[in-house]
Amino acid sequence: MAIVPASIRNKNPGAMYPGRSAKKFGSSSYETLRSKDGVHKIATFKSHTHGVAALFDLLGSPAYTDRTIREAITKWCGGYYAGTYLRVLEEKSGIKPDDMLTQEMVHNADIA
């Protein structure tokens, strides 16, 4: 039997922690994950749509916008695997690590 990744089983594509954006889009529970870098919580959503909405709400907040993509991703992942995320993002989208993350970018369907 295959292991389902936590982001899929919790309907949370960004693997975001519980918080204001998660609660705003219906998350009232979370799963505790243990890995080599520590213990983490991942918010659980009732649908993938709710999880995506919470993800874009958080990414469009002042906590992430108006900083470089590198800074935003490093904040998001706590620095773990940031280089890999940045490389894949640039390969797949052309967005560069030193590009600024803006609310306009988060709300643009062609970019997001």
Side-chain angles (χ1 to χ4, degrees):
M1 182 174 194
I3 297 174
V4 177
S7 60
I8 294 172
R9 68 177 175 266
N10 287 286
K11 300 176 179 103
N12 182 345
M16 65 191 292
Y17 276 43
R20 186 194 63 78
S21 291
K23 186 174 182 180
K24 180 178 176 180
F25 288 92
S27 176
S28 60
S29 62
Y30 61 86
E31 179 180 349
T32 301
L33 305 174
R34 289 167 178 73
S35 66
K36 61 184 175 185
D37 65 312
V39 177
H40 303 278
K41 296 176 182 175
I42 181 172
T44 302
F45 294 95
K46 61 183 174 182
S47 75
H48 294 283
T49 301
H50 288 88
V52 168
L55 169 63
F56 281 97
D57 183 69
L58 183 58
L59 285 175
S61 75
Y64 288 93
T65 55
D66 298 324
R67 56 179 71 217
T68 66
I69 296 294
R70 180 187 322 279
E71 292 168 333
I73 287 180
T74 299
K75 177 179 174 60
W76 185 272
C77 69
Y80 292 98
Y81 307 107
T84 301
Y85 293 135
L86 290 165
R87 187 183 78 254
V88 171
L89 179 63
E90 186 170 1
E91 287 173 3
K92 301 286 184 184
S93 71
I95 295 172
K96 298 187 179 347
D98 292 323
D99 289 349
M100 293 297 292
L101 178 62
T102 64
Q103 285 195 6
E104 293 78 17
M105 183 185 268
V106 173
H107 296 291
N108 180 328
D110 292 330
I111 296 172

